[in-house]
Amino acid sequence: MQSSPSPSPSPSPSQSSRPTAPARVRIVDAAHELMRTIGLARATTKEIAKAAGCSEAALYKHFASKEDLFVAVLKERLPRLGPLIEGLAEAPGERTVEENLTEIARQAALFYAESFPIAASLYADPQLKRRHDEALRELGAGPHMPIEWVDAYLRAERGAGRVGADADTYAAACLLLGACAQRAFAYDMTPSGVGPRGLEEFARSVARTVIRGIA
């Protein structure tokens, strides 16, 4: 009895959806992949457009600059840190402050772990980094924004009486997010590649330590 031919492998979701996906989606997907694999500095708009299957002119119909596209990648393809913190600032009090800071630390650690490889190549070219920083300022974006978001959240909690009246909320935000950024930077160098603590334990311990300083 002749065996029936084995079915050909199905295309991955990205492969099957990319040709029919809207141009903007394909552009952001391609930008994310290239920025992640070769770095922000080397991911030119020409290469991104080519990977997205469109012209460079079509790319500029959706994004004013590569920095504008970079911000879209951060907002749409990386862990959603901004909406989480801004939502907590608008409605404090639903969970304990420690629970909220734990969730912020968890998402921030994931965000920095994914964004560091993308942006690291900028530091090899000071002039390019300076132009990039200036463009982000014009867009109202930049690495300082998460600190401002966490500070705003903690000030809201202080106003609700759930954080000490004399708490330095800005310093607390810097300590929390600084630990998350350092984790992303340092853990890759440990023998295991994951560090001494898993993500959940790390997030809880950092949040608990910050709370002790501002309760």
Side-chain angles (χ1 to χ4, degrees):
M1 179 176 178
Q2 185 178 6
S3 61
S4 59
S6 58
S8 59
S10 300
S12 66
S14 60
Q15 291 175 325
S16 60
S17 63
R18 173 160 289 192
T20 58
R24 187 185 184 282
V25 173
R26 289 186 281 115
I27 291 167
V28 176
D29 283 343
H32 180 210
E33 180 64 16
L34 286 173
M35 290 176 183
R36 186 181 64 82
T37 54
I38 67 175
L40 182 59
R42 294 178 58 195
T44 64
T45 53
K46 182 178 180 180
E47 288 295 328
I48 293 169
K50 180 180 178 181
C54 67
S55 67
E56 199 170 1
L59 182 150
Y60 282 112
K61 288 181 180 179
H62 296 278
F63 301 97
S65 64
K66 189 171 80 170
E67 288 75 21
D68 189 22
L69 180 51
F70 171 62
V71 172
V73 168
L74 293 182
K75 289 182 177 180
E76 299 174 25
R77 296 297 182 271
L78 271 59
R80 296 176 63 78
L81 182 58
L84 165 67
I85 304 173
E86 290 176 326
L88 292 174
E90 292 172 0
E94 293 186 2
R95 297 189 299 176
T96 68
V97 179
E98 183 173 330
E99 287 173 332
N100 288 336
L101 290 184
T102 298
E103 182 61 20
I104 291 172
R106 181 186 298 111
Q107 294 300 321
L110 293 171
F111 176 84
Y112 288 125
E114 291 196 32
S115 62
F116 268 22
I118 290 175
S121 60
L122 284 177
Y123 288 84
D125 188 334
Q127 289 186 332
L128 179 60
K129 184 178 183 303
R130 185 164 51 251
R131 292 197 302 270
H132 176 77
D133 291 348
E134 290 171 354
L136 287 186
R137 290 190 189 98
E138 292 178 2
L139 292 168
H144 62 293
M145 295 303 296
I147 296 175
E148 294 185 3
W149 294 333
V150 176
D151 179 35
Y153 161 66
L154 290 175
R155 282 188 280 108
E157 293 286 20
R158 187 174 60 189
R162 303 210 307 166
V163 166
D166 60 347
D168 188 334
T169 56
Y170 184 81
C174 290
L175 291 169
L176 181 76
L177 294 178
C180 297
Q182 180 64 15
R183 181 183 190 272
F185 177 76
Y187 272 25
D188 281 347
M189 299 302 296
T190 61
S192 65
V194 296
R197 294 182 176 181
L199 177 61
E200 297 303 320
E201 182 184 0
F202 167 83
R204 286 194 302 269
S205 62
V206 169
R208 190 179 306 118
T209 301
V210 170
I211 281 292
R212 289 172 181 170
I214 62 175

